[in-house]
Each structure stands twice: as structure tokens, then as C-alpha cells.
Amino acid sequence: MCGIIGYTGPRPAVEVLVESLRRLEYRGYDSAGIAVLDPDRPHSTVVKSERKVEALARRLAQNGENGQIAGRVGIGHTRWATHGRPTEVNAHPHRDCTGGIHLIHNGIIENFRELRAELVARGHEFLSDTDTEVVPHLIEEFYRGDLAAAVRTALRRVQGAYALVVFSADEPDLIVGARLNAPLVVGLGAGETFISSDITALIPYTKRILLLGEGEVVTARPGGVEVTSLDGTPVEQRVITVDWDAEQAQKGGYPHFMLKEIHEQPAALRAALRDRVSETGLVTLPELGIREERLAAFQAVTVVACGTAWIAGMVTKYAIERLARLRCDVEPASEFRYRDPLVDERTLVVAISQSGETADTLAAVREAQRRGSTVVAITNVVGSALALEADGVIHMQAGPEIGVAATKTFVAQMACGILLALHLGDSRGTLDVDTHRRLAEELLGMPDLLARTLAVEPQIVHMAGKYAHARNAMYIGRGINFPVALEGALKLKEVSYVHAEGYAAGELKHGPIALLDPEVPVVAIATRARTLAKTVSNIEEVRTREAPVIALVTEGENPFDGDLARDIIEVPACEELLSPLVNVLPLQLLAYHIAVLRGCDVDQPRNLAKSVTVE
Ligand code: AGP
């Protein structure tokens, strides 16, 4: 949700903070702020903006402060508001009464009302409406010249979720970070140390990343770090080297990250499949770490995930049920743990999350593990909480995704789900070797089909012009393309703010058909499929209500007579099981181009954040 960066080292901190906040802004963008500790000034410099990071940068430039803030220790924050409106006074950093302690935070302090009342009674003065502000005051209460000790004591009083970074003017080269149920990592540079919510912010500076565990506190100086638990016990340090490069997190000539990431999908899919089909032509997932006999013994699968990842889970369900002949439920993670779920040691739980930090998904995973289930994570972020806590991992290998609307990671999630289904089918003996080989080979050919599919973009730009004024839209599909209809509708809603619904094509006549009229375009997925004739009948029903139809069809296989569909988009032919990988691309492009024509902020849609680290 919120983006966090802390720095201690030889560089002017303000430059690192502003540059990093630009990279972190996709996590939340209601307001932004920095605090820099400058030993030559009587007080730390604090600059905030109730708008985006660029407004903060402009304010720094206008004040002429960019060049003048010489401090080499600082913290910066970009906010996604939970408690307190997005105003300047509610923007982070927040401070204690002395003005010596400054702090940034992501998460929710659930007992902030009690703590605030107690602190006010002890004479503390509060300036903001945020839950966060209790923490610097609480640290002030316990501060006796050892910031890390005061942070640990204060956090033992805190309930809720936090990732935070704090400094004190009395210990000028030190920053202290801590996390519980919210992401925080440490970048280990040469003579400099960074603490951030997100690896993406750190890759221009260092690839050596120290992973912090739940309830751990890091004391960071330019020359090194110490990690302890909340009771002060030293903790073994887990350091990984990431292979993302800084270029991947740039727009690379595209006007928006979303468009760049749509075009990166052939490469993202190739990366997701890399080393996962062996020389024998069969799927191999060595990093899964779960033996084949164990896989063969599961009696059911439950997928937990949120948003687009949940939709990828529905595609995974179709694949697992067909190839592994295992009952597979798909649950929104936010619902799963509140309904006494029927999972146990016989259930394989598959948790899908791009970020690996989604609070609802992590909570669902912990609940499933508590009930004895084995959890496999499908995630894009090596070292994320999900990757660390799951019993086995399939890394999506899609590279960083910066656009808030998921695109290339959806394709990578589906690919990993299909790989898992093939592997499960093989382990359980429900998939014959010839079918396995044929599907694996076809999967390896899919990146080329995705590249060909992207050639429809000029046609989609034209269509977007025709439909950009629509206030409602309907998306329909059947079977494994029903989830694709859901995803097409979600993309349109997220980036263009047009109301859209995804429906199983056969369900339309059971209610939503009442919404149709000539002003409601219907996007219909009518590519090669077992149920294509049924979908065509459903499209007839739509046309009878005079709603315009945009139909996705297989190249050279237009199933319609006459003008049943007003607009036709042709996509390359492929096996139905793999068709979601191709079919979602034109729908992403349509959402993108409609959003651009409507003047929307495509990469940072209103009210959204890239990873949702609160429940
Ligand atoms: C997708 O476009 C969304 N922004 C959102 O639904 C996202 O997929 C969801 O929040 C889950 O995120 P995750 O994959 O990081 O867990």
C-alpha cells in the first residue's frame, strides 16, 4: 500500500529519497513526504505534499531545498490513506513531541485509539488524524539514547500491522526498521544501507537484499546492519541477490508502464516457462520441493488469491480439474479464513499473488497451514512473505510489474497454474504421456502466439475510439474463458472507470440481459472451443436486444453469419486449455486505449494501490 524508503550513507539523502519514491509511487499515491536529518541544522527538514511525488519534488525544487539539504540520513513515504484523509498534515513522516524522532509507516495500528488516549493523558500533542502518529510518541516515551531498544519496547505495545522506518536526531547515522504483516526489505550497498517496502526501489543501488522476517527489527548504519526479534534476541540474517535490473522498472519509451507490460507478455511468458519443460518434453518443477508421492496423495486443491490473481486461480482450477482430475475450489482469500474452511492435510492449497505480500492472501495461507494443509505459492517476488512462508514455490519470473493494473503477471500466473496442473496430472497418473508432451510443446509455442496477437493493437485503437464514450460494458465467455471475461471487465473498470461486468455467457439470460440496450457494448469471447456453438447462440440473444457486439474469434474461423458481431478481433488458433493466454491480450489493450482516450491516469488509477497489505 504505502511506499517506504529509508537511507543512511554518503549520498545526499534527499536525492535517494525522491528518486526512490518515484519508483515506489505505484504502491500508493495519495500524498508523499520526506524527512532528512542534517547535523548542521537545528531541526530535521520535513517536506510533504498532499499530492503525488512529482508535486513533492516540485516543492523541493521551488524551495531551492534540493541542493541545500545536505543530510545523509533520511526517510521518505508515499501514502495510500487508511486512517485520516489524504492531507498534508496526515502525510508521513510523523514526529514525536521533541521533533527529534521521525517515522514512516505502512499498515494499520489497530489499538491506536487506546494508545493515543494514554499518550494524550501523559501530555503528548498530536497533529494528525492518523493511526501512525501514536508510534513516534510511543517511541519517545521509551527513548533513553538507544533508538532500536525504544522501537522494540514501543512495538510490543502495538497491535496490528506495520512496516516502519524511524530515525532520531540523537543518533545521526542510524535508521531503524521493523515489520509485522507488512513488507520491508533492507538493501545492502557498499558503505550505505537502504530500507524499503519494495525491492524495486533498491535495484538501482544494490542487488543484495536482506529479508526481514515477521516481528524483526533492523538497526541500519552505513557500514552494516543488526537484526533482532522484538525481544532483542539476535536473528540470523537471510541475504539474497536479485536478478532484476533497473532498466526493467523504466518505461522504456512507452507512454505508460501498463502498455509496456502488455507488450512484454511474450517475454514474460517465455520467462515463466524457462527450464520448466525437461528434455523429455515433460513439465518439471524442481523448486516446488514437494515430492511426487506427496503430490499424488492430495485429495483436493483449494486456490486462494485476490483480484486478478483470483481470476488466474479460476483458470488454474479448470486446468487442474481437467488434467489432474482433482476437485479444485477457488476462493477469494479475503473470504476464505472467515468461513471455517474445509481444508486439512489432504488439501493442497495454492496461493497466487504477484506481490507475495497481499494481506488477505497471507492470512488465508496461515489459516490453511494451521489446519494442516500444504501450501504452494505462485508469486513474482523472490523473498516475499508468501514465498518464505509457503511449503513450495513456483516463481513467476515475470520481472517487475509497475503498472497498478496487473497484465503480464496475469499471463505468468496462468502459465504457472497450468504448469502445476500438468505436473500434478503427471504425478497422479491422470495424464497420459502423449497428451502431456503435446500440451507442454504447445505451451512452449505460446509466447510466439502472444507476440502475433499483439498485432491487433491498431484495430483495437480504432475500436476504443468507437466505444470510449460507453458508460457500461458486458464481457462474456464460457468454460476456461469465463475467467478471461471477468479479467477483461476488471481491467476496464480499474483503468477507465467504466462500469463493466464479466459473466458466464450462458448466465446472461438469467438476469443481466436486462441491462442490454444499444448503448451497452458486449465483448464476447467466441474463439475455438467445445462450447462455441452455445456461445454463438448467446451472442444472438445479445444482438436481438440491439447491443453492439465486439467478438474475439479464432483466425479464419469466424463462427457468425452476416453482421452478428459489429466488431471482430481475430486471434491465433490454439488449444482451448491455453487460449486464455492469448485471449486476454486484446481485452487488456481495449481497456488501456479506452482509458487513455478518457484521459485516465492509466498507471495509477484512482483509489487503487499495487499491493494491498491491509485486510
Ligand atoms: C489487478 O489489476 C489488481 N490491481 C489487483 O486485483 C491485484 O491483482 C490484487 O490486489 C492481488 O494482488 P497480488 O497478486 O499482488 O496478490
Side-chain angles (χ1 to χ4, degrees):
M1 313 248 46
C2 305
I4 284 183
I5 178 74
Y7 177 74
T8 177
R11 307 178 202 236
V14 69
E15 289 173 16
V16 176
L17 299 180
V18 172
E19 207 32 60
S20 303
L21 288 182
R22 287 195 175 105
R23 291 173 190 279
L24 286 170
E25 195 165 32
Y26 74 125
R27 292 189 77 92
Y29 30 83
D30 290 337
S31 53
I34 61 162
V36 175
L37 183 57
D38 187 342
D40 296 331
R41 290 187 175 198
H43 301 291
S44 302
T45 306
V46 179
V47 182
K48 300 184 184 184
S49 161
E50 64 184 28
R51 288 181 293 131
K52 291 191 166 193
V53 172
E54 270 331 300
L56 176 74
R58 273 199 303 278
R59 183 164 293 183
L60 282 162
Q62 274 160 14
N63 296 355
E65 287 184 296
N66 237 343
Q68 287 175 26
I69 305 173
R72 307 203 171 240
V73 170
I75 54 180
H77 187 267
T78 171
R79 181 168 184 242
W80 188 87
T82 58
H83 295 61
R85 288 178 36 245
T87 60
E88 195 170 319
V89 87
N90 287 335
H92 300 213
H94 291 287
R95 41 165 278 185
D96 70 336
C97 295
T98 69
I101 294 172
H102 287 83
L103 175 140
I104 51 177
H105 163 235
N106 170 30
I108 294 179
I109 310 297
E110 287 168 0
N111 58 338
F112 83 97
R113 284 190 186 81
E114 301 92 283
L115 291 173
R116 186 166 165 143
E118 184 186 320
L119 288 160
V120 167
R122 293 178 63 81
H124 289 262
E125 263 185 56
F126 283 78
L127 306 174
S128 77
D129 305 321
T130 63
D131 54 328
T132 298
E133 202 184 354
V134 296
V135 189
H137 289 279
L138 205 53
I139 294 171
E140 179 190 357
E141 277 287 310
F142 299 114
Y143 188 63
R144 307 278 182 276
D146 181 346
L147 183 61
V151 168
R152 286 193 292 262
T153 312
L155 290 180
R156 291 203 290 267
R157 300 275 329 269
V158 161
Q159 289 161 14
Y162 53 77
L164 56 85
V165 187
V166 54
F167 69 67
S168 162
D170 291 338
E171 293 172 82
D173 68 342
L174 176 72
I175 52 175
V176 173
R179 69 164 288 236
L180 184 72
N181 293 327
L184 200 67
V185 291
V186 182
L188 304 171
E192 57 185 352
T193 306
F194 309 76
I195 304 180
S196 180
S197 48
D198 199 321
I199 292 173
T200 316
L202 305 181
I203 45 179
Y205 305 108
T206 179
K207 303 261 170 70
R208 287 187 66 227
I209 305 293
L210 168 76
L211 305 174
L212 285 181
E214 296 295 347
E216 290 180 0
V217 178
V218 60
T219 307
R221 294 193 165 79
V225 300
E226 287 158 29
V227 185
T228 67
S229 58
L230 277 190
D231 64 9
T233 311
V235 167
E236 195 188 328
Q237 299 183 10
R238 283 171 299 183
V239 178
I240 59 166
T241 303
V242 292
D243 60 2
W244 290 359
D245 68 53
E247 275 308 295
Q248 286 178 293
Q250 302 293 324
K251 281 189 200 152
Y254 285 91
H256 297 101
F257 280 111
M258 182 179 175
L259 188 62
K260 175 183 175 238
E261 288 157 2
I262 288 173
H263 281 269
E264 280 174 349
Q265 291 182 108
L269 180 56
R270 207 166 277 120
L273 300 175
R274 194 177 55 224
D275 298 333
R276 284 171 171 167
V277 177
S278 72
E279 282 163 8
T280 61
L282 304 177
V283 168
T284 166
L285 294 172
E287 79 271 36
L288 198 58
I290 302 174
R291 289 194 328 275
E292 297 214 356
E293 311 85 78
R294 176 93 188 93
L295 284 177
F298 289 116
Q299 292 180 11
V301 179
T302 295
V303 180
V304 290
C306 296
T308 287
W310 171 68
I311 295 173
M314 293 174 74
V315 172
T316 303
K317 168 192 166 81
Y318 280 92
I320 287 178
E321 291 192 341
R322 180 176 145 195
L323 303 174
R325 304 306 297 150
L326 260 181
R327 182 170 58 72
C328 180
D329 299 322
V330 188
E331 294 259 0
S334 53
E335 290 293 318
F336 176 78
R337 78 177 171 132
Y338 295 109
R339 59 156 200 84
D340 199 7
L342 285 172
V343 297
D344 57 23
E345 64 289 343
R346 293 163 298 182
T347 318
L348 175 67
V349 169
V350 179
I352 308 181
S353 170
Q354 183 283 130
S355 61
E357 301 291 352
T358 298
D360 289 317
T361 308
L362 287 171
V365 162
R366 289 169 191 154
E367 180 60 30
Q369 285 176 326
R370 206 177 61 74
R371 288 168 187 257
S373 304
T374 301
V375 175
V376 167
I378 295 179
T379 183
N380 198 31
V381 181
V382 177
S384 59
L386 180 61
L388 297 179
E389 291 184 29
D391 303 291
V393 185
I394 305 177
H395 291 291
M396 287 156 53
Q397 306 178 160
E401 184 176 71
I402 309 294
V404 166
T407 52
K408 67 174 178 175
T409 56
F410 178 60
V411 158
Q413 284 165 350
M414 290 191 289
C416 292
I418 293 168
L419 285 168
L420 178 63
L422 286 162
H423 187 53
L424 268 174
D426 194 52
S427 311
R428 290 171 53 76
T430 52
L431 179 63
D432 69 82
V433 173
D434 290 343
T435 312
H436 187 164
R437 274 210 188 95
R438 182 179 58 75
L439 287 171
E441 193 184 339
E442 199 160 334
L443 195 51
L444 290 178
M446 291 305 286
D448 291 339
L449 295 195
L450 266 59
R452 270 177 53 201
T453 307
L454 290 170
V456 299
E457 188 169 11
Q459 192 194 347
I460 301 251
V461 172
H462 176 70
M463 259 175 220
K466 275 166 59 178
Y467 297 108
H469 65 278
R471 303 190 54 186
N472 298 286
M474 190 75 79
Y475 287 69
I476 56 172
R478 274 179 181 262
I480 202 163
N481 280 296
F482 163 46
V484 177
L486 292 177
E487 177 63 6
L490 179 62
K491 286 288 91 82
L492 190 70
K493 280 185 270 215
E494 280 188 298
V495 297
S496 73
Y497 318 143
V498 173
H499 169 237
E501 291 196 36
Y503 253 91
E507 281 293 298
L508 205 60
K509 57 186 174 294
H510 296 289
I513 200 163
L515 294 169
L516 299 187
D517 67 26
E519 301 304 315
V520 181
V522 177
V523 180
I525 302 167
T527 50
R528 186 190 292 177
R530 216 158 39 93
T531 52
L532 180 57
K534 305 281 177 207
T535 306
V536 172
S537 303
N538 300 138
I539 294 172
E540 289 277 5
E541 292 151 15
V542 169
R543 283 304 287 147
T544 307
R545 275 80 197 171
E546 295 182 10
V549 174
I550 303 167
L552 223 61
V553 305
T554 301
E555 260 167 11
E557 297 179 14
N558 183 346
F560 307 122
D561 295 330
D563 69 345
L564 189 57
R566 187 187 283 182
D567 288 289
I568 298 278
I569 304 167
E570 288 196 322
V571 294
C574 64
E575 158 76 35
E576 184 180 358
L577 183 78
L578 307 181
S579 62
L581 297 166
V582 158
N583 288 348
V584 75
L585 268 54
L587 307 192
Q588 295 166 340
L589 284 167
L590 186 64
Y592 170 80
H593 285 289
I594 287 180
V596 169
L597 288 172
R598 292 171 67 93
C600 299
D601 189 347
V602 179
D603 281 337
Q604 294 175 352
R606 67 185 180 204
N607 307 335
L608 301 184
K610 183 69 180 162
S611 66
V612 183
T613 55
V614 292
E615 281 190 62

